mmCIF file of all heavy atoms in Angstrom:
data_model
loop_
_atom_site.group_PDB
_atom_site.id
_atom_site.type_symbol
_atom_site.label_atom_id
_atom_site.label_comp_id
_atom_site.label_asym_id
_atom_site.label_seq_id
_atom_site.Cartn_x
_atom_site.Cartn_y
_atom_site.Cartn_z
ATOM 1 N N TYR A 1195 48.219 197.416 124.004
ATOM 2 C CA TYR A 1195 48.515 196.401 122.996
ATOM 3 C C TYR A 1195 48.768 195.051 123.649
ATOM 4 O O TYR A 1195 48.243 194.022 123.202
ATOM 5 C CB TYR A 1195 49.724 196.822 122.169
ATOM 6 C CG TYR A 1195 50.263 195.706 121.312
ATOM 7 C CD1 TYR A 1195 49.517 195.231 120.230
ATOM 8 C CD2 TYR A 1195 51.486 195.110 121.593
ATOM 9 C CE1 TYR A 1195 49.992 194.192 119.454
ATOM 10 C CE2 TYR A 1195 51.954 194.073 120.818
ATOM 11 C CZ TYR A 1195 51.206 193.627 119.742
ATOM 12 O OH TYR A 1195 51.687 192.598 118.991
ATOM 13 N N PRO A 1201 45.485 186.875 126.358
ATOM 14 C CA PRO A 1201 44.293 186.721 127.175
ATOM 15 C C PRO A 1201 44.591 186.768 128.651
ATOM 16 O O PRO A 1201 43.691 186.669 129.469
ATOM 17 C CB PRO A 1201 43.786 185.326 126.755
ATOM 18 C CG PRO A 1201 45.037 184.592 126.388
ATOM 19 C CD PRO A 1201 45.922 185.635 125.752
ATOM 20 N N LEU A 1216 56.642 178.980 135.832
ATOM 21 C CA LEU A 1216 57.916 178.299 135.631
ATOM 22 C C LEU A 1216 59.048 178.978 136.384
ATOM 23 O O LEU A 1216 60.208 178.638 136.187
ATOM 24 C CB LEU A 1216 58.248 178.256 134.137
ATOM 25 C CG LEU A 1216 57.297 177.437 133.256
ATOM 26 C CD1 LEU A 1216 57.711 177.539 131.789
ATOM 27 C CD2 LEU A 1216 57.258 175.984 133.686
ATOM 28 N N GLY A 1217 58.692 179.938 137.225
ATOM 29 C CA GLY A 1217 59.713 180.677 137.958
ATOM 30 C C GLY A 1217 60.593 179.799 138.825
ATOM 31 O O GLY A 1217 61.739 180.143 139.109
ATOM 32 N N TRP A 1222 64.927 179.944 134.623
ATOM 33 C CA TRP A 1222 63.781 180.509 133.902
ATOM 34 C C TRP A 1222 63.629 182.009 134.149
ATOM 35 O O TRP A 1222 63.366 182.779 133.222
ATOM 36 C CB TRP A 1222 62.501 179.784 134.275
ATOM 37 C CG TRP A 1222 61.301 180.299 133.536
ATOM 38 C CD1 TRP A 1222 60.292 181.067 134.027
ATOM 39 C CD2 TRP A 1222 60.995 180.109 132.144
ATOM 40 N NE1 TRP A 1222 59.380 181.361 133.053
ATOM 41 C CE2 TRP A 1222 59.787 180.793 131.880
ATOM 42 C CE3 TRP A 1222 61.625 179.443 131.093
ATOM 43 C CZ2 TRP A 1222 59.203 180.813 130.609
ATOM 44 C CZ3 TRP A 1222 61.042 179.460 129.836
ATOM 45 C CH2 TRP A 1222 59.850 180.136 129.609
ATOM 46 N N ALA A 1223 63.797 182.424 135.381
ATOM 47 C CA ALA A 1223 63.683 183.850 135.688
ATOM 48 C C ALA A 1223 64.758 184.643 134.938
ATOM 49 O O ALA A 1223 64.489 185.716 134.401
ATOM 50 C CB ALA A 1223 63.805 184.078 137.195
ATOM 51 N N ASN A 1227 64.127 187.515 132.044
ATOM 52 C CA ASN A 1227 64.777 188.830 132.159
ATOM 53 C C ASN A 1227 65.606 189.133 130.905
ATOM 54 O O ASN A 1227 65.635 190.271 130.431
ATOM 55 C CB ASN A 1227 65.667 188.867 133.399
ATOM 56 C CG ASN A 1227 64.872 188.931 134.690
ATOM 57 O OD1 ASN A 1227 63.725 189.375 134.699
ATOM 58 N ND2 ASN A 1227 65.478 188.494 135.785
ATOM 59 N N THR A 1236 68.701 186.867 122.829
ATOM 60 C CA THR A 1236 68.119 185.755 123.580
ATOM 61 C C THR A 1236 67.331 184.831 122.663
ATOM 62 O O THR A 1236 67.423 183.599 122.770
ATOM 63 C CB THR A 1236 67.202 186.287 124.693
ATOM 64 O OG1 THR A 1236 67.951 187.165 125.540
ATOM 65 C CG2 THR A 1236 66.639 185.148 125.530
ATOM 66 N N TRP A 1245 67.547 174.245 117.192
ATOM 67 C CA TRP A 1245 68.046 173.604 115.973
ATOM 68 C C TRP A 1245 69.145 172.600 116.284
ATOM 69 O O TRP A 1245 69.224 171.545 115.648
ATOM 70 C CB TRP A 1245 68.534 174.665 114.990
ATOM 71 C CG TRP A 1245 67.397 175.315 114.278
ATOM 72 C CD1 TRP A 1245 66.537 176.252 114.764
ATOM 73 C CD2 TRP A 1245 66.959 175.030 112.950
ATOM 74 N NE1 TRP A 1245 65.599 176.586 113.830
ATOM 75 C CE2 TRP A 1245 65.832 175.861 112.700
ATOM 76 C CE3 TRP A 1245 67.409 174.194 111.941
ATOM 77 C CZ2 TRP A 1245 65.150 175.844 111.483
ATOM 78 C CZ3 TRP A 1245 66.742 174.188 110.725
ATOM 79 C CH2 TRP A 1245 65.625 175.003 110.509
ATOM 80 N N ASP A 1249 68.754 168.552 115.338
ATOM 81 C CA ASP A 1249 69.677 167.790 114.497
ATOM 82 C C ASP A 1249 70.380 166.692 115.289
ATOM 83 O O ASP A 1249 70.621 165.603 114.759
ATOM 84 C CB ASP A 1249 70.720 168.712 113.868
ATOM 85 C CG ASP A 1249 71.615 167.962 112.902
ATOM 86 O OD1 ASP A 1249 71.086 167.416 111.915
ATOM 87 O OD2 ASP A 1249 72.840 167.879 113.144
ATOM 88 N N ALA A 1252 67.999 163.897 115.396
ATOM 89 C CA ALA A 1252 67.872 163.283 114.077
ATOM 90 C C ALA A 1252 69.063 162.373 113.786
ATOM 91 O O ALA A 1252 68.900 161.243 113.302
ATOM 92 C CB ALA A 1252 67.754 164.362 113.009
ATOM 93 N N PHE A 1261 78.381 160.523 113.649
ATOM 94 C CA PHE A 1261 77.851 161.859 113.918
ATOM 95 C C PHE A 1261 78.570 162.879 113.046
ATOM 96 O O PHE A 1261 79.803 162.965 113.051
ATOM 97 C CB PHE A 1261 78.024 162.215 115.391
ATOM 98 C CG PHE A 1261 77.259 163.447 115.799
ATOM 99 C CD1 PHE A 1261 75.922 163.369 116.109
ATOM 100 C CD2 PHE A 1261 77.881 164.687 115.849
ATOM 101 C CE1 PHE A 1261 75.201 164.501 116.473
ATOM 102 C CE2 PHE A 1261 77.181 165.823 116.213
ATOM 103 C CZ PHE A 1261 75.834 165.726 116.530
ATOM 104 N N ASP A 1289 52.427 190.933 114.909
ATOM 105 C CA ASP A 1289 51.603 191.300 116.059
ATOM 106 C C ASP A 1289 51.230 192.776 116.042
ATOM 107 O O ASP A 1289 50.159 193.161 116.509
ATOM 108 C CB ASP A 1289 52.336 190.970 117.364
ATOM 109 C CG ASP A 1289 52.346 189.474 117.657
ATOM 110 O OD1 ASP A 1289 51.456 188.773 117.147
ATOM 111 O OD2 ASP A 1289 53.243 189.016 118.380
ATOM 112 N N LYS A 1303 46.737 185.682 110.986
ATOM 113 C CA LYS A 1303 48.160 185.511 111.282
ATOM 114 C C LYS A 1303 48.662 184.141 110.828
ATOM 115 O O LYS A 1303 49.758 184.025 110.258
ATOM 116 C CB LYS A 1303 48.414 185.686 112.776
ATOM 117 C CG LYS A 1303 48.282 187.115 113.266
ATOM 118 C CD LYS A 1303 48.561 187.192 114.759
ATOM 119 C CE LYS A 1303 48.445 188.616 115.273
ATOM 120 N NZ LYS A 1303 48.749 188.717 116.715
ATOM 121 N N ALA A 1305 47.409 182.310 108.451
ATOM 122 C CA ALA A 1305 47.418 182.312 106.985
ATOM 123 C C ALA A 1305 48.648 183.021 106.438
ATOM 124 O O ALA A 1305 49.331 182.521 105.532
ATOM 125 C CB ALA A 1305 46.145 182.972 106.459
ATOM 126 N N PHE A 1319 66.346 178.754 103.914
ATOM 127 C CA PHE A 1319 66.964 177.577 104.516
ATOM 128 C C PHE A 1319 67.767 176.783 103.488
ATOM 129 O O PHE A 1319 68.944 176.463 103.697
ATOM 130 C CB PHE A 1319 65.877 176.696 105.138
ATOM 131 C CG PHE A 1319 66.368 175.397 105.705
ATOM 132 C CD1 PHE A 1319 67.240 175.371 106.781
ATOM 133 C CD2 PHE A 1319 65.939 174.183 105.170
ATOM 134 C CE1 PHE A 1319 67.691 174.169 107.322
ATOM 135 C CE2 PHE A 1319 66.379 172.979 105.693
ATOM 136 C CZ PHE A 1319 67.250 172.962 106.765
ATOM 137 N N ALA A 1358 47.975 178.474 115.706
ATOM 138 C CA ALA A 1358 46.676 178.899 116.221
ATOM 139 C C ALA A 1358 46.752 179.043 117.748
ATOM 140 O O ALA A 1358 46.255 180.009 118.330
ATOM 141 C CB ALA A 1358 45.593 177.900 115.827
ATOM 142 N N LYS A 1367 56.655 187.913 123.498
ATOM 143 C CA LYS A 1367 58.075 187.675 123.786
ATOM 144 C C LYS A 1367 58.407 186.192 123.967
ATOM 145 O O LYS A 1367 59.571 185.800 123.858
ATOM 146 C CB LYS A 1367 58.514 188.460 125.022
ATOM 147 C CG LYS A 1367 58.012 187.920 126.351
ATOM 148 C CD LYS A 1367 58.613 188.730 127.506
ATOM 149 C CE LYS A 1367 58.183 188.191 128.862
ATOM 150 N NZ LYS A 1367 58.806 188.942 129.967
ATOM 151 N N VAL A 1376 58.308 173.300 120.167
ATOM 152 C CA VAL A 1376 57.573 172.433 119.246
ATOM 153 C C VAL A 1376 58.457 172.031 118.070
ATOM 154 O O VAL A 1376 58.406 170.898 117.581
ATOM 155 C CB VAL A 1376 56.309 173.153 118.731
ATOM 156 C CG1 VAL A 1376 55.582 172.291 117.705
ATOM 157 C CG2 VAL A 1376 55.379 173.504 119.891
ATOM 158 N N ASN A 1381 62.327 170.138 113.326
ATOM 159 C CA ASN A 1381 63.701 170.326 112.871
ATOM 160 C C ASN A 1381 64.361 169.009 112.503
ATOM 161 O O ASN A 1381 65.301 168.976 111.687
ATOM 162 C CB ASN A 1381 64.531 171.048 113.937
ATOM 163 C CG ASN A 1381 64.229 172.527 113.991
ATOM 164 O OD1 ASN A 1381 63.545 173.059 113.133
ATOM 165 N ND2 ASN A 1381 64.721 173.190 115.016
ATOM 166 N N LEU A 1384 63.402 168.762 109.008
ATOM 167 C CA LEU A 1384 64.144 169.708 108.185
ATOM 168 C C LEU A 1384 65.605 169.311 108.028
ATOM 169 O O LEU A 1384 66.200 169.463 106.954
ATOM 170 C CB LEU A 1384 64.061 171.108 108.782
ATOM 171 C CG LEU A 1384 62.728 171.847 108.604
ATOM 172 C CD1 LEU A 1384 62.832 173.249 109.208
ATOM 173 C CD2 LEU A 1384 62.322 171.937 107.149
ATOM 174 N N SER A 1385 66.189 168.798 109.107
ATOM 175 C CA SER A 1385 67.600 168.408 109.029
ATOM 176 C C SER A 1385 67.793 167.254 108.060
ATOM 177 O O SER A 1385 68.834 167.144 107.399
ATOM 178 C CB SER A 1385 68.134 168.033 110.424
ATOM 179 O OG SER A 1385 67.550 166.827 110.882
#
Side-chain angles (χ1 to χ4, degrees):
Y1195 168 69
L1216 295 177
W1222 182 253
N1227 287 336
T1236 303
W1245 282 76
D1249 185 61
F1261 192 82
D1289 285 336
K1303 288 180 180 182
F1319 176 64
K1367 73 176 182 178
V1376 177
N1381 284 350
L1384 285 182
S1385 69

